[in-house]
Short mmCIF file of all heavy atoms in Angstrom, two decimals:
data_model
loop_
_atom_site.label_atom_id
_atom_site.label_comp_id
_atom_site.label_asym_id
_atom_site.label_seq_id
_atom_site.Cartn_x
_atom_site.Cartn_y
_atom_site.Cartn_z
N GLU A 297 24.72 40.08 21.25
CA GLU A 297 25.26 40.49 19.96
C GLU A 297 26.66 39.91 19.75
O GLU A 297 27.03 39.58 18.62
CB GLU A 297 25.26 42.02 19.84
CG GLU A 297 23.83 42.55 19.70
CD GLU A 297 23.74 44.05 19.51
OE1 GLU A 297 24.71 44.76 19.88
OE2 GLU A 297 22.69 44.51 19.01
N ARG A 298 27.40 39.75 20.86
CA ARG A 298 28.72 39.15 20.73
C ARG A 298 28.57 37.71 20.24
O ARG A 298 29.31 37.26 19.36
CB ARG A 298 29.42 39.17 22.09
CG ARG A 298 30.94 39.21 21.99
CD ARG A 298 31.58 39.62 23.30
NE ARG A 298 31.03 38.95 24.47
CZ ARG A 298 30.52 39.58 25.52
NH1 ARG A 298 30.46 40.90 25.55
NH2 ARG A 298 30.04 38.90 26.55
N VAL A 299 27.60 36.99 20.78
CA VAL A 299 27.41 35.60 20.38
C VAL A 299 26.86 35.50 18.96
O VAL A 299 27.28 34.66 18.17
CB VAL A 299 26.46 34.89 21.37
CG1 VAL A 299 26.09 33.51 20.87
CG2 VAL A 299 27.11 34.79 22.74
N GLU A 300 25.92 36.39 18.61
CA GLU A 300 25.31 36.36 17.28
C GLU A 300 26.25 36.89 16.20
O GLU A 300 26.12 36.55 15.03
CB GLU A 300 24.03 37.20 17.26
CG GLU A 300 22.88 36.65 18.10
CD GLU A 300 22.15 35.52 17.40
OE1 GLU A 300 22.29 35.37 16.17
OE2 GLU A 300 21.45 34.76 18.10
N GLY A 301 27.15 37.79 16.60
CA GLY A 301 28.01 38.43 15.61
C GLY A 301 27.27 39.38 14.70
O GLY A 301 27.65 39.61 13.56
N ARG A 302 26.15 39.92 15.15
CA ARG A 302 25.37 40.87 14.35
C ARG A 302 24.47 41.66 15.29
O ARG A 302 24.18 41.18 16.39
CB ARG A 302 24.51 40.14 13.32
CG ARG A 302 23.55 39.19 14.00
CD ARG A 302 22.58 38.51 13.08
NE ARG A 302 21.84 37.51 13.87
CZ ARG A 302 20.76 36.89 13.49
NH1 ARG A 302 20.25 37.15 12.31
NH2 ARG A 302 20.16 36.01 14.26
N PRO A 303 24.03 42.84 14.85
CA PRO A 303 23.09 43.59 15.70
C PRO A 303 21.77 42.84 15.79
O PRO A 303 21.31 42.25 14.80
CB PRO A 303 22.89 44.91 14.94
CG PRO A 303 23.89 44.92 13.83
CD PRO A 303 24.30 43.51 13.58
N LEU A 304 21.16 42.84 16.95
CA LEU A 304 19.93 42.09 17.15
C LEU A 304 18.78 42.61 16.30
O LEU A 304 17.81 41.91 16.03
CB LEU A 304 19.51 42.13 18.62
CG LEU A 304 20.25 41.18 19.54
CD1 LEU A 304 19.68 41.26 20.94
CD2 LEU A 304 20.16 39.76 19.02
N SER A 305 18.88 43.87 15.87
CA SER A 305 17.77 44.44 15.12
C SER A 305 17.70 43.91 13.69
O SER A 305 16.68 44.02 13.03
CB SER A 305 17.90 45.96 15.10
OG SER A 305 19.19 46.31 14.67
N ARG A 306 18.81 43.31 13.21
CA ARG A 306 18.79 42.85 11.82
C ARG A 306 18.37 41.39 11.72
O ARG A 306 19.19 40.49 11.61
CB ARG A 306 20.15 43.09 11.18
CG ARG A 306 20.34 44.57 10.88
CD ARG A 306 21.73 44.86 10.40
NE ARG A 306 22.10 44.07 9.23
CZ ARG A 306 23.36 43.90 8.83
NH1 ARG A 306 24.33 44.45 9.49
NH2 ARG A 306 23.61 43.19 7.76
N LEU A 307 17.10 41.19 11.72
CA LEU A 307 16.58 39.83 11.69
C LEU A 307 16.17 39.44 10.28
O LEU A 307 15.77 40.27 9.49
CB LEU A 307 15.36 39.71 12.61
CG LEU A 307 15.64 39.86 14.08
CD1 LEU A 307 14.36 39.66 14.87
CD2 LEU A 307 16.69 38.85 14.51
N ARG A 308 16.24 38.15 10.03
CA ARG A 308 15.84 37.63 8.75
C ARG A 308 14.42 37.06 8.90
O ARG A 308 14.05 36.62 9.97
CB ARG A 308 16.78 36.48 8.40
CG ARG A 308 16.97 36.24 6.96
CD ARG A 308 18.25 35.42 6.80
NE ARG A 308 18.20 34.26 7.69
CZ ARG A 308 18.25 33.01 7.22
NH1 ARG A 308 18.32 32.78 5.94
NH2 ARG A 308 18.22 32.00 8.04
N LEU A 309 13.65 37.07 7.83
CA LEU A 309 12.30 36.48 7.91
C LEU A 309 12.42 34.97 8.06
O LEU A 309 13.23 34.34 7.41
CB LEU A 309 11.51 36.80 6.64
CG LEU A 309 11.00 38.22 6.48
CD1 LEU A 309 10.22 38.33 5.17
CD2 LEU A 309 10.10 38.60 7.65
N THR A 310 11.59 34.40 8.91
CA THR A 310 11.55 32.94 9.04
C THR A 310 10.74 32.37 7.88
O THR A 310 9.90 33.07 7.30
CB THR A 310 10.86 32.53 10.35
OG1 THR A 310 9.52 33.02 10.32
CG2 THR A 310 11.57 33.10 11.55
#
Side-chain angles (χ1 to χ4, degrees):
E297 289 183 339
R298 207 164 46 237
V299 171
E300 292 281 342
R302 60 175 173 167
L304 281 184
S305 51
R306 286 174 56 197
L307 293 182
R308 208 161 52 119
L309 286 181
T310 61

